[in-house]
Amino acid sequence: MDQAEKLRNIVKKNQRNTPKAQIFTVTSGKGGVGKSNVVVNLAVQMQRRGKKVIIFDADFGLANVEIMFGAIPKFNLSDLIYRGKTIQEIITPGPLDIGFISGGSGVMGVNNLSKEQLKFLVSNLSKLDELADVIIIDTGAGISDNVLEFVMASPEILLLATSEPSSLTDAYSLLKALHRSEEFRQAETKIKVISNRVTSEEEGTGIFEKLNAVVGQFLNGNLEYLGMIPQDSALEKAVRQQQPVTLLYPEAKSSKAFDMLTNCLIQGTAAPIREKKGIVQLLSRFIYKKD
């Protein structure tokens, strides 16, 4: 039995039980559109609804989530892979006891790990299905291989875009790279657009319609519209104070928007709920690529 087959057996063993956690991967195609802000505020609203949430910060080398939470993690993913820490030890508690895992600066990307390191990582991250109801993955900006791997592996993608031409162009570039990959399974993936920093409902739907039109015309695909987040001075103040707006200003218009988005995600109102993938299924593709 070769090493690749042994790794497959490990993944299959971890996949036997029905996954508990629902996974959302938040991406944008470019930086500076408020991706990490959306991640932490959705986590707050889900936690308020009794969901146990863990954020996996896959933006390796940066620390956006911990900055938004105003917390400094004692350990990160590199401590799990290289220094023998357990998965429980690298989960940092944030506001409302939301857990988050920092990618840290010691891991340059999942694709750069050896087979043995991937095996160890998958075995440990499989435990998140028992520790959380919801896992939110915050990807890096751009369309690097590492970003695309997480996006392609995710059952539900939350694509963040603004009305800026560069945001729309970069979001489409990510979608184009996604659809043109032989490994992308369109039928198994929901892509939901969140329009950010908009001044009206019409602007929000306009962003979605522009993206959906070009995806339909040139990629033979389709998107779903999850909703919008308005431009809000309260949100800007919360960012400067390193706190989620949903905690600092719960009655702000952006907080109410996050509340609506959370309801849609939990209730699955955008489309019928299909079979969920667990964190092991999500990461197993990285092992198979090592063959």
Side-chain angles (χ1 to χ4, degrees):
M1 181 183 295
D2 61 18
Q3 188 180 35
E5 188 174 353
K6 290 180 181 178
L7 291 172
R8 290 192 186 96
N9 288 338
I10 290 171
V11 172
K12 288 177 181 178
K13 180 180 178 181
N14 286 323
Q15 288 176 342
R16 286 175 184 170
N17 296 324
T18 301
K20 173 187 175 184
Q22 187 172 14
I23 299 173
F24 302 104
T25 296
V26 182
T27 192
S28 62
K30 75 183 294 288
V33 298
K35 180 168 52 61
S36 297
N37 204 6
V38 169
V39 168
V40 298
N41 281 289
L42 287 178
V44 166
Q45 297 298 68
M46 288 184 179
Q47 193 88 355
R48 279 175 166 164
R49 284 163 173 75
K51 302 289 185 179
K52 177 57 182 175
V53 183
I54 293 178
I55 298 172
F56 181 37
D57 190 350
D59 195 353
F60 301 113
L62 297 178
N64 291 332
V65 171
E66 56 201 70
I67 290 173
M68 290 296 305
F69 275 162
I72 300 175
K74 187 176 181 180
F75 303 112
N76 57 45
L77 195 63
S78 64
D79 292 298
L80 172 72
I81 298 170
Y82 306 116
R83 300 177 189 92
K85 297 299 179 182
T86 66
I87 191 70
Q88 289 87 349
E89 287 178 310
I90 70 166
I91 298 174
T92 301
L96 301 181
D97 202 32
I98 297 167
F100 73 93
I101 297 174
S102 171
S105 58
V107 181
M108 297 308 294
V110 176
N111 281 324
N112 295 317
L113 299 177
S114 69
K115 287 182 180 180
E116 286 300 318
Q117 288 167 335
L118 280 171
K119 167 181 155 182
F120 180 77
L121 180 61
V122 169
S123 296
N124 278 273
L125 289 179
S126 67
K127 299 172 185 175
L128 292 181
D129 268 330
E130 296 303 319
L131 298 174
D133 301 307
V134 176
I135 300 169
I136 305 178
I137 299 174
D138 185 7
T139 70
I143 54 173
S144 66
D145 288 343
N146 194 56
V147 170
L148 286 175
E149 287 297 339
F150 274 105
V151 173
M152 281 190 289
S154 180
E156 295 193 56
I157 300 165
L158 307 185
L159 177 63
L160 194 65
T162 70
S163 60
E164 295 178 5
S166 60
S167 173
L168 294 170
T169 300
D170 289 344
Y172 175 70
S173 295
L174 185 146
L175 292 168
K176 181 169 66 175
L178 195 63
H179 279 81
R180 291 185 176 178
S181 171
E182 294 180 357
E183 300 171 16
F184 177 57
R185 300 293 181 262
Q186 182 175 336
E188 301 174 5
T189 308
K190 295 179 184 178
I191 305 177
K192 301 177 181 180
V193 175
I194 299 176
S195 301
N196 194 27
R197 299 172 183 162
V198 301
T199 56
S200 65
E201 290 277 0
E202 291 74 20
E203 184 180 6
T205 54
I207 292 170
F208 164 73
E209 288 169 354
K210 288 176 183 177
L211 284 173
N212 197 40
V214 294
V215 168
Q217 182 177 356
F218 298 109
L219 303 179
N220 194 30
N222 68 285
L223 308 174
E224 299 175 7
Y225 183 51
L226 187 64
M228 66 88 178
I229 303 164
Q231 187 74 37
D232 187 6
S233 59
L235 190 150
E236 296 171 3
K237 291 178 183 177
V239 170
R240 288 195 293 269
Q241 297 181 57
Q242 296 185 8
Q243 291 192 52
V245 67
T246 46
L247 286 180
L248 198 58
Y249 304 108
E251 297 302 316
K253 57 184 179 180
S254 57
S255 296
K256 293 179 179 179
F258 282 119
D259 191 57
M260 293 180 64
L261 293 175
T262 301
N263 282 336
C264 290
L265 289 173
I266 290 177
Q267 296 172 7
T269 53
I273 297 294
R274 67 172 183 285
E275 182 180 357
K276 296 187 292 183
K277 295 180 181 178
I279 192 70
V280 177
Q281 289 91 329
L282 179 78
L283 290 166
S284 64
R285 61 177 291 106
F286 295 107
I287 287 180
Y288 298 149
K289 285 178 68 67
K290 291 292 180 178
D291 290 0

